[in-house]
Amino acid sequence: MLLSKARGKAVVDLTTAETIGAVTGCTVAPSPAHIAGLRLKTRGRGHHMLHWEDVRSFGPDAVSVEEPDRVRDEKDLEAGDQAHAVHNPIGKAVLTETGLEKGTVMDVEFDEQSGRIAHLVTADEQIPGEDLVGVGSYAVVVTAPQ
Amino acid sequence: MTVYMRAGEIAKKPVVTLAGDDIGQVKDIVFDSSTGDIRCFTLAGRGLLSGPLHRALLWRNVHALGPHAVMVRDESALEEDDSAATPGEDERAGVNVLGVAVTTRSGTQLGRVTDAVVATGRKPAVAGYEVETAERERVLLPVAGPITVSGERILVSDATAQHSAGNLGGFGSAVEGLRHRPVHDPQED
């Protein structure tokens, strides 16, 4: 599934059947490349994060969560946390390990069961998930072709 | 194919870890006047208002040098201070590769160094120098094999003068030409 298609999906609390919020983005972590967290827009102010492990299921129309208290305010996360917003790849420059820029990440294609990332999508190409080295404040680093 | 860039172009490039964080930007390039190589970079913090970082990045700790960024493994690649950027005791202060004369072994002065040419990639290295000739022309001279460097001049082989390039696009073939030149140069004159 493409992240752009997952955007706006309702996040539902399985115990109360209430909507907690909507998916706005994600954070990713390398080795192997996977979705580390989902960014949510909730009713209150600011953004909230949900760790991928706390997602019960990622359905075609909604994301279900068993423990809604696991949804945390983005400000409470430490920078080292893989779900911290600094690891959001969307809109960041792609930089190879050898310091060459190749476009901007526009979208992420992932498996909604495992959270594994199939491709990072830029305007020009699809970069395989296994090439991902890291996502930080400045860029998405990928391995360089030998 | 190796891509070359002028050392001066490295200034202002971000220093990025493999985790994707920018931990500084290159402020200055410090040459080692005893070898003609780059010794280290001094760094500035990122952002318009940030001052010097006072942490040097040694050349050997650079993971890769690219046209858009200087890559390092992580933040531990930086030195704790910038003492590496100050000249050692055995060197005379103020000695720099920039401005020194380039002379062939047979005694022809080719010009003065205005910049170094660096091969980018995983094993970045100084591959040559940009030299301003007496006619105020700027040419790129590849260096290969043993060169001798002092604070006053860089001595290069006589063949170097025949393999200069006018721009970075032609520099790669100049390096190849110098490297694969016949041992006994047939064009003796």
Side-chain angles (χ1 to χ4, degrees):
Chain A
M1 177 180 280
L2 284 168
L3 179 72
S4 52
K5 295 277 186 312
R7 250 186 221 131
K9 225 181 255 288
V11 179
V12 176
D13 178 354
L14 285 178
T15 50
T16 64
E18 280 174 358
T19 304
I20 305 169
V23 176
T24 60
C26 70
T27 65
V28 302
S31 55
H34 62 281
I35 303 273
L38 294 174
R39 288 187 93 189
L40 312 181
K41 180 84 188 104
T42 54
R43 248 180 240 116
R45 295 182 65 200
H47 275 87
H48 285 71
M49 294 302 311
L50 178 64
H51 282 102
W52 181 262
E53 304 87 76
D54 299 327
V55 172
R56 174 67 191 276
S57 74
F58 203 108
D61 300 305
V63 178
S64 58
V65 181
E66 221 151 7
E67 296 166 89
D69 52 320
R70 303 300 291 269
V71 176
R72 295 173 57 192
D73 195 314
E74 207 165 73
K75 293 188 203 80
D76 298 341
L77 293 173
E78 286 174 26
D81 195 312
Q82 290 188 329
H84 190 273
V86 80
H87 303 296
N88 177 9
I90 303 297
K92 289 217 177 91
V94 178
L95 203 55
T96 67
E97 221 188 322
T98 50
L100 181 75
E101 259 176 36
K102 22 185 233 175
T104 309
V105 177
M106 320 274 277
D107 214 334
V108 176
E109 191 183 350
F110 64 98
D111 180 273
E112 53 278 38
Q113 247 70 54
S114 63
R116 289 285 282 270
I117 290 168
H119 292 105
L120 298 167
V121 183
T122 69
D124 303 323
E125 59 181 323
Q126 297 206 333
I127 300 165
E130 53 261 39
D131 287 1
L132 183 74
V133 179
V135 182
S137 56
Y138 181 76
V140 175
V141 181
V142 298
T143 53
Q146 292 293 324
Chain B
M1 199 191 93
T2 316
V3 177
Y4 298 95
M5 66 194 281
R6 289 185 176 84
E9 293 171 49
I10 304 171
K12 301 249 168 37
K13 291 270 186 296
V15 178
V16 182
T17 65
L18 290 186
D21 293 315
D22 51 339
I23 54 176
Q25 69 180 31
V26 176
K27 186 161 152 262
D28 246 323
I29 296 118
V30 181
F31 288 96
D32 193 323
S33 58
S34 57
T35 59
D37 263 334
I38 292 173
R39 190 207 325 232
C40 67
F41 299 125
T42 60
L43 304 179
R46 292 287 285 163
L48 275 176
L49 298 171
S50 50
L53 208 54
H54 294 301
R55 291 181 73 181
L57 169 60
L58 291 183
W59 186 236
R60 62 166 184 272
N61 288 339
V62 171
H63 178 76
L65 177 69
H68 302 111
V70 177
M71 305 300 291
V72 295
R73 191 160 288 283
D74 50 40
E75 214 182 325
S76 66
L78 304 189
E79 300 298 296
E80 286 306 318
D81 51 36
D82 55 4
S83 59
T86 53
E89 286 183 5
D90 52 335
E91 292 170 289
R92 284 169 300 144
V95 165
N96 198 336
V97 172
L98 300 186
V100 306
V102 178
T103 311
T104 62
R105 291 191 173 275
S106 59
T108 313
Q109 180 163 330
L110 300 174
R112 289 192 175 275
V113 174
T114 52
D115 208 341
V117 180
V118 182
T120 62
R122 283 194 179 83
K123 292 201 187 337
V126 171
Y129 297 99
E130 186 191 60
V131 166
E132 190 175 73
T133 62
E135 294 84 43
R136 304 234 152 247
E137 249 182 299
R138 295 212 167 178
V139 294
L140 302 175
L141 292 177
V143 292
I147 60 163
T148 314
V149 181
S150 76
E152 295 163 82
R153 63 178 61 83
I154 297 172
L155 285 177
V156 296
S157 64
D158 293 354
T160 304
Q162 290 152 22
H163 292 282
S164 66
N167 54 40
L168 284 176
F171 187 75
S173 53
V175 170
E176 289 301 307
L178 181 61
R179 196 174 292 154
H180 300 299
R181 71 183 187 279
V183 181
H184 299 290
D185 210 336
Q187 331 163 344
E188 276 174 332
D189 43 30

